[in-house]
C-alpha cells in the first residue's frame, strides 16, 4: 500500500470517527509521513483508549498499523492489537487474530511482547473452555518470565490475572487466591471500577475461606481491595466473616453462618469451614496466653473451642500438621504443650489483649526488680 492509499484510508477513517477524535486521526498522517514512529504509536494508543474508537480499531490495525509494525515498540504493538481484538466477532476469530500477533512478535529482542501476546491467547482459550491449551501457553509464558531481569508490570499483571482465571476454572482456590493477590500487587486498585473491585474482593474472600491450604488471611485483611465489600450491605457479612475467622470468634461465626447459604461454594464446604473456625479458635486461645502458660489441658481446649472432648486430640494434631502451632501432646495426661503459634494480623480487640499482656509483663518485671533489690541489699552495699 502506497502513501496515497494510506492517505485515502486515513481520510475515510477521519470522516467516520467521532468529532472529538478527528484531529487525532488528522495527526496520524503527519506523523506517518514524517516517520515519527514513537509519537505515532502514542497517538494511536490515545485513539484506541477512547471508547469512541472501538468500531475502527480492527481496521486501523490491519490496514494502517501493520504497515509499520516492525518499526515501533513491540510491547505497545501488542497493546494496540489487544484493543483491536475486542472488536472481533467472536472468540474463535479473536483467537486466530491473536495467534497471528504472537507469531509477528516472536523475536529474540521482543520476548516481553511475545509473552504478553501469548498470555492474551491463553485468556481467549480459557473463554473457549480449552483449559489444557491455556495451561500450555501460560507455562510457556512463565518459563520466559522467570528468565527476565525486569519486565513491564503490565505483562506480569496479565500473567497473574489469566493464571488466576485458570485456577478459578479448575476450582483450585488456593492457587487462585495466590495469583489474584499477585495481580493486585501489579496494578493500582483504584484503576478498577467499583463493581470490579467488589467482585474481586468477593472472589478472594470466598477462595480464602474454602481453600484447604489457606488458614492465615493476613495479606487479604490488610489489602485495600477488601474495603469494596463494605460499600453496600449485600456483602458486609463476608467482610465480617473473614475477621471472625481471623480472631477465632465462634460466636460471630454462628451469627454470620446463616449467610453461608447464599453462596454455593460456601455451602459445599460447610464442614471444612466449621473445622477452620475451630482451628482459628484454638490458635487464638493459645495466642491469648502468655508464653509461660501454654500447657493447655484437653478440657480447657474443649471449653475454648466448643469442640467435643473426643475430637480435641485430632484438632491439635491438625493444627500441628498445618504448622499453625508447634509443640507436643501428652496423651496420657491429655495436655498440649505449645511453644509457638503462627503470627497473624491483629484487629483492635486482639491488639488490646496484647497491650494488657505487655502491661502484665511490665508489672512482673517491676516486681522482680524490687524483689532482687530487697534480697540483695547487702550485695549492693
Amino acid at each position: 500500500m502506497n502513501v496515497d492509499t494510506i492517505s485515502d484510508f486515513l481520510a475515510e477513517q477521519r470522516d467516520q470517527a467521532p468529532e472529538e477524535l478527528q484531529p487525532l486521526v488528522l495527526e496520524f498522517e503527519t506523523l506517518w509521513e514524517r516517520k515519527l514512529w514513537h509519537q505515532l504509536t502514542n497517538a494511536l494508543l490515545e485513539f484506541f483508549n477512547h471508547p469512541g474508537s472501538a468500531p475502527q480499531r480492527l481496521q486501523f490495525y490491519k490496514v494502517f498499523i501493520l504497515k509499520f509494525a516492525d518499526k515501533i515498540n513491540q510491547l505497545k504493538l501488542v497493546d494496540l492489537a489487544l484493543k483491536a481484538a475486542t472488536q472481533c466477532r467472536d472468540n474463535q476469530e479473536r483467537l486466530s487474530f491473536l495467534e497471528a500477533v504472537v507469531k509477528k512478535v516472536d523475536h529474540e529482542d521482543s520476548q516481553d511482547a511475545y509473552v504478553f501476546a501469548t498470555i492474551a491467547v491463553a485468556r481467549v482459550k480459557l473463554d473457549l473452555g480449552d483449559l489444557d491449551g491455556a495451561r500450555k501457553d501460560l507455562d510457556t509464558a512463565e518459563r520466559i518470565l522467570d528468565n527476565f531481569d525486569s519486565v513491564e508490570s503490565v505483562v506480569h499483571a496479565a500473567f497473574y490475572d489469566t493464571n488466576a482465571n485458570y485456577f478459578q476454572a479448575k476450582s483450585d482456590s488456593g492457587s487462585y487466591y495466590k495469583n489474584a493477590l499477585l495481580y493486585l500487587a501489579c496494578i493500582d486498585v483504584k484503576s478498577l471500577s467499583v463493581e470490579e473491585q467488589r467482585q474481586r474482593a468477593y472472589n478472594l474472600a470466598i477462595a480464602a475461606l474454602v481453600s484447604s491450604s489457606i488458614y492465615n488471611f493476613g495479606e487479604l485483611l490488610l489489602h485495600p481491595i477488601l474495603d469494596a465489600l463494605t460499600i453496600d450491605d449485600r456483602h458486609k457479612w463476608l467482610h465480617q466473616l473473614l475477621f471472625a475467622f481471623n480472631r477465632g470468634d465462634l460466636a460471630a461465626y454462628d451469627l454470620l453462618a446463616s449467610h453461608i447459604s447464599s453462596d454455593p461454594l460456601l455451602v459445599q464446604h460447610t464442614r471444612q469451614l466449621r473445622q477452620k473456625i475451630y482451628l482459628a479458635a484454638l490458635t487464638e486461645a493459645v495466642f491469648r496466653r502468655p508464653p509461660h502458660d501454654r500447657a493447655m489441658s484437653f478440657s480447657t481446649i474443649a471449653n475454648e473451642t466448643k469442640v467435643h472432648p473426643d475430637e480435641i486430640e485430632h484438632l491439635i494434631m491438625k493444627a500441628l500438621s498445618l504448622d499453625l502451632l508447634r509443640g507436643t501432646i501428652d496423651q496420657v495426661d491429655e495436655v498440649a504443650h505449645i511453644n509457638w503459634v503462627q503470627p497473624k494480623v491483629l484487629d483492635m480487640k486482639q491488639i488490646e489483649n496484647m497491650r494488657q499482656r505487655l502491661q502484665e509483663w511490665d508489672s512482673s518485671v517491676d516486681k522482680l526488680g524490687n524483689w532482687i533489690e530487697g534480697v540483695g541489699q547487702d550485695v549492693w552495699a
Side-chain angles (χ1 to χ4, degrees), residues 31-324:
L31 297 172
W32 153 265
E33 291 173 347
R34 297 176 63 187
K35 295 182 171 56
L36 298 174
W37 308 124
H38 175 70
Q39 292 87 337
L40 178 56
T41 304
N42 289 338
L44 282 163
L45 284 169
E46 182 182 347
F47 178 79
F48 273 42
N49 285 331
H50 192 288
S53 70
Q56 297 173 274
R57 291 173 193 165
L58 209 53
Q59 275 295 96
F60 257 103
Y61 181 84
K62 291 179 177 179
V63 177
F64 184 50
I65 295 173
L66 284 180
K67 297 303 173 186
F68 53 89
D70 296 336
K71 298 179 174 65
I72 66 174
N73 180 290
Q74 297 297 280
L75 194 58
K76 291 183 177 181
L77 172 65
V78 174
D79 193 12
L80 289 166
L82 296 185
K83 291 177 170 63
T86 61
Q87 301 308 302
C88 292
R89 289 191 305 273
D90 53 39
N91 281 326
Q92 202 59 56
E93 181 185 342
R94 188 172 296 110
L95 180 62
S96 299
F97 175 79
L98 290 174
E99 285 177 336
V101 175
V102 169
K103 292 178 182 177
K104 187 160 190 65
V105 297
D106 186 11
H107 304 293
E108 188 176 346
D109 59 349
S110 59
Q111 287 296 285
D112 55 345
Y114 173 73
V115 167
F116 197 25
T118 300
I119 293 167
V121 168
R123 188 180 299 116
V124 177
K125 287 181 179 179
L126 283 178
D127 292 338
L128 289 169
D130 181 9
L131 299 187
D132 291 339
R135 184 68 264 160
K136 184 178 178 181
D137 289 334
L138 287 168
D139 288 343
T140 299
E142 186 171 22
R143 282 194 298 271
I144 299 172
L145 280 172
D146 287 344
N147 291 323
F148 283 150
D149 292 329
S150 63
V151 69
E152 294 285 344
S153 60
V154 66
V155 180
H156 269 133
F159 173 75
Y160 290 129
D161 189 31
T162 308
N163 218 25
N165 291 340
Y166 168 82
F167 286 118
Q168 189 174 38
K170 296 287 286 185
S171 300
D172 185 343
S173 298
S175 297
Y176 165 79
Y177 178 85
K178 174 186 174 182
N179 282 274
L181 279 176
L182 286 169
Y183 165 71
L184 293 175
C186 294
I187 66 166
D188 179 2
V189 174
K190 293 179 182 177
S191 66
L192 303 176
S193 68
V194 172
E195 178 56 27
E196 188 172 359
Q197 288 183 45
R198 186 201 61 76
Q199 188 60 53
R200 287 185 179 276
Y202 184 88
N203 290 340
L204 275 165
I206 297 298
L209 290 169
V210 304
S211 171
S212 59
S213 61
I214 300 170
Y215 290 84
N216 190 330
F217 310 149
E219 193 172 359
L220 178 58
L221 297 179
L222 290 173
H223 204 289
I225 193 73
L226 205 60
D227 293 338
L229 293 177
T230 64
I231 293 174
D232 58 53
D233 293 335
R234 288 180 301 161
H235 301 105
K236 281 184 179 178
W237 66 270
L238 188 54
H239 184 273
Q240 294 166 358
L241 187 61
L242 281 174
F243 279 91
F245 268 88
N246 186 62
R247 62 178 182 269
D249 192 335
L250 288 163
Y253 175 83
D254 289 336
L255 286 173
L256 296 164
S258 60
H259 293 281
I260 288 175
S261 60
S262 66
D263 187 279
L265 206 53
L266 291 181
V267 173
Q268 184 181 338
H269 293 83
T270 300
R271 185 175 178 181
Q272 182 179 313
L273 289 173
R274 177 60 69 174
Q275 184 185 59
K276 265 193 173 184
I277 194 65
Y278 286 152
L279 286 166
L282 172 60
T283 57
E284 180 65 18
V286 175
F287 178 79
R288 284 199 304 264
R289 289 171 170 262
H292 62 270
D293 186 27
R294 287 182 175 173
M296 302 175 67
S297 66
F298 285 14
S299 60
T300 299
I301 294 173
N303 184 57
E304 292 274 3
T305 62
K306 311 305 180 188
V307 174
H308 193 277
D310 293 342
E311 299 175 359
I312 292 300
E313 185 176 350
H314 179 266
L315 180 70
I316 300 169
M317 291 176 65
K318 181 73 173 178
L320 293 172
S321 68
L322 292 168
D323 205 29
L324 301 176

